[in-house]
Amino acid sequence: MINVSKTYLPPQDRYLAILNRAWQKGWITNNGELVQELEASLQQMLQVPHLLYGSNGTVVLQMALKSLGHAGGDIITTPYSYVATSHSVQWEGFHPVFVDIDPNTFCINPALVEAAITPRTRAILATHVYGMPCDTDVLAAIGLRYGVPVIYDGAHAFGTIWKGKNLLAYGDMSTCSFHATKIFHTVEGGCIICQQPQQHALLEGYRQFGHKGDYHYSIGINGKNSELHAAMGLAILPDMPALIEERRQLFAKYEAALSALPLQLLRPGAVEGLVWNYAYFPALFPTEAAMRQAKAALEAAHIFPRRYFYPALHNLPFYGTTASCPVADSVAARMLCLPFYNGLDAAVVEQVAAIIKAAL
Ligand SMILES: *Cc1c(COP(=O)(O)O)cnc(C)c1O
């Protein structure tokens, strides 16, 4: 059976050697030495001013929204993301205002963002879909013009370099997920990056119930992560350049194998200033029927691609919205993410391409 993704596991002895440090100390959570070391390594690698490691990509998103300091109001967000993005908005008591996406990047359409700004807008929350960058320049300009913070859900963005900076360094705040299905993982985990020291202090407080010892200074939540999780990150981090290079080569194999077919594929080489992380292999089919046919044919061969993302989020009944996002609807209906992970056999790429070709 071939799934859409497969978790990369580092050499076990390397993980155990790092874990052994936690055993020696008898310290397994609450901002231990491995968590601190992972944070320092990530901060160094990403070249960001402030970074906090947290329990997962959803809780850090909730912390980011909580830190806006508003009760209620609107968050302008994308209908084309994982449900954690818009759920976090609703969970934190904001109203998600969905604006449509760009048909080529699949990220939020900045022109529509500007048109959606009202006095009730509290923030813009955009997703770097498949690790490809949003229009960060235009979104930053809109944020400045209207005094509205820009937050990025960078759950897919780890390792992407954009205009000479790490993609996670953009925005007033940026979050990442280190879930086992993501390109870099710590089993479960995530991080939040911010630009301002006061913001960092606020978020650090939120992460541990809003207190330091006997001094309680705000509300908070348990957003911490453990030494066992941090150890996994420390064990994988040195492998990241090689893992991304392997994905780059796999991407090229898929591209070549699918080149004659009527599929819209990502074209990272055509985007100036982009060094992509090769996080996913999404294929946009000409019609939903064609996508379904290809998916069924692959499944018959025990190959399980995934509709990611489907459905477009504005269609979910939980948000009380009647937004219309035809581009997101069209993309969500036709998109299929093909199996793409470190260790995927090149022969499977050929097999997937042949099955899709026959189905079309
Ligand atoms: C995976 C993902 C999340 C959630 O991250 P978790 O670590 O699983 O909580 C949020 N947003 C996007 C776009 C994701 O892909």
Side-chain angles (χ1 to χ4, degrees):
M1 185 173 83
I2 304 285
N3 280 318
V4 68
S5 74
K6 185 175 175 191
T7 300
Y8 173 72
L9 290 170
Q12 201 175 27
D13 53 351
R14 191 196 295 167
Y15 178 61
L16 291 175
I18 298 171
L19 213 49
N20 193 41
R21 290 166 51 194
W23 251 253
Q24 293 302 321
K25 274 199 147 182
W27 188 300
I28 57 169
T29 189
N30 282 9
N31 206 27
E33 125 184 355
L34 300 181
V35 163
Q36 288 179 33
E37 190 171 315
L38 179 64
E39 280 183 342
S41 302
L42 291 171
Q43 204 181 333
Q44 166 72 24
M45 177 183 180
L46 306 177
Q47 291 288 302
V48 291
H50 303 286
L51 180 146
L52 290 163
Y53 178 49
S55 35
N56 58 63
T58 306
V59 161
V60 291
L61 209 46
Q62 290 169 357
M63 285 164 41
L65 292 163
K66 182 69 80 185
S67 77
L68 296 171
H70 293 279
D74 295 345
I75 305 289
I76 294 176
T77 192
T78 176
Y80 197 67
S81 184
Y82 184 56
V83 287
T85 313
S86 48
H87 279 1
S88 298
V89 170
Q90 185 84 5
W91 194 268
E92 290 302 327
F94 296 99
H95 177 63
V97 172
F98 294 101
V99 310
D100 213 348
I101 58 169
D102 180 288
N104 296 306
T105 68
F106 313 125
C107 294
I108 202 163
N109 182 331
L112 300 178
V113 169
E114 180 152 25
I117 298 232
T118 73
R120 291 186 310 279
T121 307
R122 304 294 179 239
I124 297 160
L125 173 58
T127 299
H128 298 302
V129 177
Y130 307 130
M132 300 284 279
C134 291
D135 194 337
T136 50
D137 286 345
V138 175
L139 290 175
I142 294 170
L144 275 179
R145 193 172 312 137
Y146 297 94
V148 169
V150 178
I151 305 170
Y152 288 111
D153 179 344
H156 300 175
F158 193 92
T160 292
I161 308 296
W162 175 227
K163 297 181 179 175
K165 283 203 308 188
N166 200 283
L167 185 52
L168 291 168
Y170 287 83
D172 295 280
M173 285 180 273
S174 188
T175 63
C176 194
S177 165
F178 302 151
H179 184 255
T181 55
K182 304 299 204 267
I183 184 162
F184 166 74
H185 80 94
T186 66
V187 186
E188 293 276 355
C191 74
I192 184 162
I193 288 146
C194 66
Q195 306 296 328
Q196 303 298 334
Q198 316 89 289
Q199 188 91 34
H200 176 254
L202 184 64
L203 292 166
E204 193 174 25
Y206 284 173
R207 185 174 62 170
Q208 52 201 17
F209 313 101
H211 77 101
K212 270 202 175 116
D214 292 342
Y215 177 48
H216 291 257
Y217 48 89
S218 75
I219 61 162
I221 195 169
N222 184 355
K224 293 183 272 88
N225 211 335
S226 80
E227 294 291 274
L228 282 65
H229 292 83
M232 182 62 90
L234 289 169
I236 295 177
L237 212 48
D239 292 339
M240 285 312 297
L243 293 176
I244 291 177
E245 172 56 23
E246 184 191 345
R247 285 169 173 270
R248 191 185 66 75
Q249 293 178 18
L250 209 50
F251 188 93
K253 288 199 175 91
Y254 256 126
E255 237 180 353
L258 295 169
S259 62
L261 302 183
L263 300 172
Q264 181 183 327
L265 305 179
L266 294 179
R267 297 248 170 267
V271 184
E272 207 181 321
L274 174 67
V275 184
W276 188 39
N277 63 0
Y278 297 87
Y280 296 91
F281 196 94
L284 189 62
F285 285 73
T287 63
E288 182 170 8
M291 184 279 299
R292 284 182 183 278
Q293 220 165 335
K295 181 169 180 278
L298 288 165
E299 284 171 357
H302 306 285
I303 296 170
F304 297 92
R306 182 163 170 219
R307 301 187 76 179
Y308 192 62
F309 307 103
Y310 180 81
L313 299 170
H314 64 288
N315 297 299
L316 295 177
F318 318 116
Y319 310 129
T321 177
T322 54
S324 157
C325 301
V327 179
D329 280 332
S330 166
V331 170
R334 296 181 287 128
M335 189 68 88
L336 200 59
C337 280
L338 304 183
F340 195 68
Y341 50 83
N342 289 102
L344 180 64
D345 195 333
V348 175
V349 171
E350 297 298 334
Q351 189 192 357
V352 168
I355 292 171
I356 293 175
K357 190 172 180 181
L360 287 177

